[in-house]
Every structure is written in C-alpha cells, then in structure tokens.
Amino acid sequence: MTDVVPADAGYNPNPFIGIILLIVLLVFVLPDRLPQFISDLSPYFFAGIPCARLPAPRDLAAHQSVIGRAVQDPLQLAVAPTAPDDSGALLIRLTVTNLSLGTLPIVFQEDNIAVAASDDESNGFGFIVEPEPAEGTHGRQAPDPNGYEESDIRLLGPRQRCVHALDLVAAQDMIDHGGTIRAYYRMTLPGEHQTQSEGVRRIYADQGLDFLSEEVVFSASVDIEPGE
C-alpha cells in the first residue's frame, strides 16, 4: 500500500518569515546605521554625497522649507582624522548630518574653510587643530555683511548627510606626539537675498541661514594619533 504524502509535507515557512523580518529590519536600520558603518571601514571611504555636490538653491526669496526655518539645532558634525604618514600628510574627513525633517540651507565654500589652532569666530565651516598644521592652513575671507551668493549655499535635505575631505601637512610636534581636531559650523547671519528671478514673488525676507539657536555647532574633539 502506497503511503499518501500530504501536499504540504516538507514545507517550512520559517525561512520565508525570517527573510521578511530581515527585510523589514534593514529598512528601518540601514538609513541610520549603514552610512556610519561604511565610513568607519576606511578613512578614505565615504558614506554620503560630497558637500560641494549638494544642490544649490534657486530663488530662496520664494522657495524655502517651512520646517527647515522652524527647526532648532538640527545639524550634527563628526570629524575623523588619519595619523600623519611618513611625509606628515594626513586626511581629515568631515561628516555633516541633518537630523531634522526640514531642508537646511548651509553655506559651504570649499576654498574658504578655516583651519587654525583656535576658533576665529567667523561664519562657515572650520577646523580647530592643535598643534596647528604646517601646511594646508586656510584663512577666512570675510563674507558680505548682508549675506551670501546662492552659489555659495547648499541644500542639505531631510535626514541627509554630506562629507568633505581636507588634506593637511602636520607640524613636527604633531608627528611626534599627536594632536586633537574639532570641527565647527557657525552662522550668525540670516542672509539677505542677493538676486531674484524676474516674476518670482518674494515670500521670505531673508535666506534662512540662522537656524542655529547658539549660532554655532561643534563636533566632538577627536585625537590625532602620532605618525608611525
């Protein structure tokens, strides 16, 4: 007599359910964890769009994020340096993260980033490096007191992050003993509009740049290891 095998014999739904749960987990975890994990794998590997390639605004007089104008302290900075190599060269990585659900207009001038042993209290991005690097130090150009050209402003979207890399040459003291680095972004100006397209109705009186309640945000201070 031939045994009758049930149609569902050997079927185990557990792997299928496990795959579904894994997909759901990845959907919720990856947006926050994967970029940081990838960027930590190597100092030369980035997780995020370069800050210089973020879109520039158009007609900020009329097009701004209402949520972005209302957020409080939505910006987070993280800095990661490499140790100086045999020639004293080191790479600094900066990660800028928008923690809010609004789009933020940030001033990013790639060739106008301050690098010094102390905070010069000027607007924009900067690095406080001790001891001060031997080469690669940038002075700060004074901005227009009324605001910035829209070509110098970048839009950082909701929950988006951007990255920037800066090459420096360490002083001998840093090569021998190491040092510290800290990043900051300061903006004290709301910014007056520089241009406006014909036929566009001006809704906002400023560029909405002053969204930081303390006018500045700092990253944590990070140690720079001595050269090998």
Side-chain angles (χ1 to χ4, degrees):
M1 179 176 180
T2 304
D3 294 334
V4 178
V5 180
D8 59 349
Y11 173 71
N12 185 353
N14 290 336
F16 178 76
I17 295 175
I19 293 173
I20 296 299
L21 292 176
L22 179 60
I23 293 174
V24 172
L25 178 65
L26 293 178
V27 167
F28 285 99
V29 172
L30 285 185
D32 293 329
R33 302 298 181 185
L34 183 60
Q36 186 64 45
F37 173 75
I38 293 176
S39 63
D40 288 342
L41 289 178
S42 168
Y44 297 95
F45 201 72
F46 296 94
I49 184 174
C51 296
R53 293 178 56 189
L54 288 171
R58 182 177 180 182
D59 294 322
L60 271 175
H63 305 126
Q64 291 186 37
S65 167
V66 176
I67 298 177
R69 289 182 65 92
V71 296
Q72 290 293 321
D73 299 321
L75 213 58
Q76 183 182 73
L77 307 182
V79 62
T82 65
D85 61 16
D86 294 339
S87 64
L90 68 151
L91 177 72
I92 307 300
R93 330 177 265 160
L94 171 67
T95 303
V96 183
T97 305
N98 177 5
L99 301 175
S100 78
L101 296 177
T103 298
L104 303 179
I106 58 173
V107 174
F108 183 79
Q109 299 168 305
E110 191 170 7
D111 298 326
N112 194 26
I113 295 177
V115 181
S118 60
D119 182 1
D120 65 3
E121 298 188 353
S122 59
N123 285 329
F125 286 97
F127 295 98
I128 302 171
V129 185
E130 296 180 331
E132 190 167 311
E135 296 179 24
T137 303
H138 302 277
R140 177 85 75 186
Q141 301 173 7
D144 187 309
N146 296 321
Y148 292 87
E149 295 290 341
E150 290 190 345
S151 58
D152 291 329
I153 299 174
R154 295 291 181 267
L155 297 178
L156 190 61
R159 305 292 188 182
Q160 186 179 23
R161 70 180 65 200
C162 71
V163 295
H164 180 64
L166 187 67
D167 292 308
L168 301 175
V169 177
Q172 190 61 48
D173 189 21
M174 180 181 289
I175 297 174
D176 294 338
H177 306 291
T180 61
I181 184 169
R182 193 181 189 193
Y184 65 88
Y185 176 73
R186 176 179 284 103
M187 187 51 56
T188 61
L189 300 174
E192 294 183 6
H193 294 290
Q194 305 296 306
T195 59
Q196 183 179 6
S197 299
E198 184 177 353
V200 175
R201 179 185 176 188
R202 176 167 291 184
I203 299 175
Y204 299 98
D206 56 60
Q207 294 171 310
L209 301 177
D210 57 342
F211 53 77
L212 298 173
S213 61
E214 300 296 329
E215 298 183 338
V216 63
V217 59
F218 290 93
S219 74
S221 180
V222 177
D223 291 334
I224 300 176
E225 299 296 328
E228 299 179 357

